[in-house]
Amino acid sequence: MSRLGIAWRVAALALAFAVLGPPHWIALRLLGRRATLAPILFHRVFLRLFGVRVTQSGTPPAPGEAALVLANHVSWLDIVAVGSLRPLSFVAKSEIAGWPLIGTLAGLQRTIYIDRQRRGATATVSTAVGHRLAEGELVVLFAEGTTGDGTRLLPFRSSLVGAARAALQAEAGRGRVRLQPLAIAYPRRNGLPVTRAERAEIAWYGDMELVPHLATFVQGGPIDVHVVWGAPIAFEATTDRKVATAAAEAEVRAALRGAGAGVGTVPAPDARPAAPGIGLQEPEIATV
């Protein structure tokens, strides 16, 4: 992509933000969580401008159904891809709130921040996520706790899955909360299968600088992202969060292999699902 091509795309994205951002900011204050359209549109504009095609399979939660989504995390692009599909919010490290522009975008997405240096932060965030779930929202938690190099799946952390129990406590009449495994894969670029070396270029991890990584992404050409909604797990008052988390990790691992991602894994203990899948219908495939 030429410099001129990059420039006009960035300008078009800035225009989209100028058009969508201020009305969405006002809508958040007037409508709260019901202000959901602008982030989806902004993400889709980004995807269209920069040649990213998102497909999804499986059956996601029904509109208005609360779910704690447990996803793998490869790149900053995960947020744009998943955010383009439906109204939702993310859990992210507190440092992001102070990042120029990105912090603003995260705030407009109603991101829930966790300060990993503060004692008691997990309990506070679990309560906040639990209230979101009790209100029927979709909250995405990147359960590995960080981004990987794109070649393996890191163990899922169970600490914030306690938010599902907080949701049950916040809404006494609720019998269970849906845990939704979600696999994010990058199978093709420029129409060809992504190689192992290219996965490391797509992934953003460790101490990589964001701006050079963005430049590499833009110059690399069109990319396909495939999102797989795994079999849901019913989380009840008596459910062991560690067992439920292990079951979600196993679902994501299987989905990544099925999507042809070729992602290896760090060994994790075998575990059966905490409860049967709830209402999962026949797989569907949709293109954004």
Side-chain angles (χ1 to χ4, degrees), residues 68 126 129-130 133 160-170 174 176-179 235-237 241:
L68 179 60
S126 291
V129 174
L133 296 174
L160 287 178
V161 177
R165 183 163 288 111
L168 295 174
Q169 295 170 348
R174 182 186 292 271
R176 61 186 180 181
V177 173
R178 176 174 177 143
L179 295 185
F235 191 99
E236 301 175 349
R241 63 179 172 83

Side-chain angles (χ1 to χ4, degrees), residues 90-97 111-118 120-126 129 141 145 157 159-160:
F90 296 92
V91 178
K93 60 183 181 181
S94 58
E95 293 91 328
I96 290 177
T111 297
I112 300 170
Y113 296 110
I114 178 168
D115 183 354
R116 294 181 293 190
Q117 304 301 318
R118 184 174 63 84
T122 297
T124 301
V125 172
S126 291
V129 174
L141 173 63
R157 301 182 180 183
S159 55
L160 287 178

